[in-house]
Amino acid sequence: MSDNQSNPGASLDRVRELRGLLLDFIAGGPARAPRYKVLRDGLMADSQVNGRLPELVLEHENLNDLWQYMKYKSASKVERQEVIRQQFDDLARVLSGAPAAAPENYEAIAVEKLFKAWYRLSQDSMEPRRLVSTARKIAVQVCSSIIDAHYHSGEIRGGNEELTQVFNMTKDVLFACSGTDRQLIVTDAVAGAAALRKTFDGVLERIGQPALDDTSRLQLARMGVHALLSAAMSLLSCWYMLQASAAKP
C-alpha cells in the first residue's frame, strides 16, 4: 500500500481536488480528462476512501459520460453543482475527521426588510456613486439569501458577491423550483427583473459623464437605485410566491 493510500490527509486532498475539478467542469471549465482518470483510479484503490466514493464518479469512467448523465439529471448549472457538492460532503467530512455539522438555518431576506432598506436609501443624501454602490450590495444580499435558502448552504454560492453572477444564479434557482405550472409566472418575473437591472447598468454608464451637474447626477443615481431594488424585489417576491405554492397540500 502506498503512502498516499494510507494517509488520510493525502486522500482528503485528492477528494477535494476531484470535487473542484468536477465543479469547474460542470460550470463550463476545461475538461481535464487525464487528471480525472488519475484521481478516480487512485481514490478507487484507496483504503481510506473505503467504498465512499460518490456514485457519479464510480459509475462514470470518463468526463463525457459523466456530463451526459448530469445534463439530464438536473436542469441548471447550479443544480448540477449542488449534486456534486452533496455527493462529496460525507466523504470529505469522514476523511477530515470533522463531526457531522448541525444543519444551518438559511432563509431568504424578508420582503419587509428589503422595503425598509429601500426606504432608508431613498431618503439618504449620500454621494451618488456611493448610493448606487449601496444599492448593489443590497441586491447582492437579497439574491444570495435566495440561493442559500434554496440549497440550505452557502457553499454553492461560495461567497460570490458579483452582481451579474448571483443575479443569474438566482434566476436558475427560481426556474429550478417553479415546476411546469408556474414557469410562465417565473419567466415574467425574471424578464421584468432583468429589464430593471439593465436600466441600472445604463445608469452606471451615464453617472460618470462630466457634463452632468450634481443635481442631475443624484437624480440619476436615485433612478438606478429604484430600478435595481425593484429588480431585487421582483425576484424575492417570486421566491416567496413559489415557497407558498409548494407548501400548499
Side-chain angles (χ1 to χ4, degrees):
M1 181 180 299
S2 69
D3 289 341
N4 280 349
Q5 288 177 325
S6 60
N7 183 344
S11 300
L12 179 58
D13 287 344
R14 286 207 300 269
V15 165
R16 286 172 172 167
E17 183 183 353
L18 180 56
R19 183 176 72 166
L21 183 154
L22 291 176
L23 287 172
D24 187 40
F25 171 64
I26 290 299
R32 299 172 56 206
R35 187 58 183 164
Y36 172 76
K37 177 173 173 52
V38 169
L39 291 169
R40 179 180 182 272
D41 291 349
L43 287 169
M44 288 183 69
D46 192 335
S47 61
Q48 294 293 335
V49 173
N50 196 24
R52 294 189 181 91
L53 198 62
E55 289 184 10
L56 64 88
V57 175
L58 285 173
E59 295 175 358
H60 300 96
E61 295 184 13
N62 60 69
L63 289 176
N64 183 59
D65 289 346
L66 186 144
W67 167 245
Q68 294 302 318
Y69 165 76
M70 294 295 293
K71 182 168 64 173
Y72 296 107
K73 181 175 180 61
S74 304
S76 71
K77 177 179 68 178
V78 288
E79 292 282 351
R80 295 167 193 145
Q81 288 178 309
E82 179 62 5
V83 169
I84 291 171
R85 189 191 69 80
Q86 288 180 344
Q87 289 209 12
F88 275 88
D89 270 357
D90 286 343
L91 176 56
R93 179 179 58 78
V94 169
L95 290 173
S96 67
E104 295 187 55
N105 184 30
Y106 290 90
E107 294 182 0
I109 287 176
V111 170
E112 294 79 6
K113 185 176 179 180
L114 175 55
F115 267 129
K116 288 179 181 178
W118 191 347
Y119 176 76
R120 287 197 300 268
L121 200 57
S122 70
Q123 302 301 308
D124 205 304
S125 58
M126 67 176 69
E127 191 272 330
R129 286 189 178 277
R130 188 178 168 202
L131 201 62
V132 295
S133 176
T134 302
R136 183 198 294 271
K137 290 178 181 177
I138 293 172
V140 166
Q141 187 179 13
V142 170
C143 289
S144 298
S145 74
I146 293 172
I147 298 164
D148 294 348
H150 178 65
Y151 291 108
H152 303 289
S153 168
E155 186 174 341
I156 192 68
R157 180 173 49 86
N160 190 339
E161 295 188 357
E162 207 285 313
L163 177 61
T164 298
Q165 293 186 31
V166 295
F167 188 88
N168 289 335
M169 290 174 76
T170 304
K171 292 193 295 183
D172 285 345
V173 163
L174 294 177
F175 279 115
C177 56
S178 65
T180 55
D181 56 331
R182 293 183 295 274
Q183 278 210 352
L184 186 58
I185 296 173
V186 172
T187 299
D188 288 344
V190 164
L196 288 164
R197 228 212 78 193
K198 188 174 182 180
T199 297
F200 175 76
D201 291 341
V203 166
L204 290 182
E205 291 180 3
R206 294 173 56 197
I207 204 169
Q209 293 177 357
L212 291 175
D213 57 32
D214 290 344
T215 299
S216 299
R217 189 170 283 109
L218 181 59
Q219 290 175 342
L220 193 60
R222 293 197 184 285
M223 183 176 74
V225 167
H226 179 73
L228 185 59
L229 296 188
S230 293
M233 181 61 75
S234 178
L235 298 178
L236 187 61
S237 299
C238 186
W239 163 258
Y240 277 114
M241 179 273 296
L242 291 172
Q243 296 310 294
S245 299
K248 290 180 181 179

